[in-house]
Amino acid sequence: MPERVEIVPYDAEWPAHFREIAAALKTLLGDRMLDIHHIGSTSIPGMAAKPLIDIDVNMPTAADVIDACPLMEAAGYEPRGNRYDADIFAFMKRATTPRQRIYLCPEGHDTHHRRIQFRDYLRTHPQAAADYQALKLKLAERFEYDGDGYTAAKAAFVNDIVARARKR
């Protein structure tokens, strides 16, 4: 059965959840990991979001990403396969509250850079953040049980914000 696209009010505990997850991932991945970033709507103060902590873990190379996959699975993360292209692998942990989605990314990958630019732009442009939140709420109703449709319908907005961020 498809999962419901649920948007909840901002939870001031989301940053603390990120820090806890990040510490566990640092222990799990050790020197394989270059850095770790809280991404997605839960990383934007005040933003309503799906109750899901999204995290990018940067690794030195695509080979390091592949090597880390068995460690993620052994730690209870469900493999979600390649995302965005062949070099990024996604993992979910649904049994936690909030849920966790981890992306293993090779260093310098544009998808990671786009996510950081999007996040940072919304953090510093309240009107853009408010517009994004309104769009998300509207799309969550329209695509209540269609997560792919929900994500696709946000793409033009996200691309516009990334383009604005890159001009700064």
Side-chain angles (χ1 to χ4, degrees), residues 149-164:
Y150 167 82
T151 299
K154 296 185 307 178
F157 184 94
V158 171
N159 290 337
D160 178 61
I161 294 298
V162 170
R164 287 188 218 173

Side-chain angles (χ1 to χ4, degrees), residues 54-126:
D54 283 306
I55 296 174
D56 271 2
V57 174
N58 286 332
M59 308 193 88
T61 68
D64 293 307
V65 169
I66 299 296
D67 290 346
C69 290
L71 296 172
M72 296 294 290
E73 290 182 57
Y77 286 91
E78 168 194 341
R80 304 288 292 158
N82 299 92
R83 292 290 190 252
Y84 308 104
D85 71 28
D87 292 332
I88 295 178
F89 284 79
F91 294 86
M92 285 284 292
K93 194 174 265 193
R94 298 176 193 275
T96 60
T97 302
R99 293 173 297 151
Q100 305 171 31
R101 182 168 43 206
I102 313 302
Y103 296 96
L104 302 182
C105 310
E107 176 70 7
H109 199 283
D110 190 56
T111 296
H112 168 69
H113 291 299
R114 288 175 52 83
R115 290 178 180 150
I116 298 301
Q117 289 167 326
F118 182 74
R119 178 200 68 193
D120 291 351
Y121 191 91
L122 292 185
R123 283 180 173 176
T124 58
H125 293 82

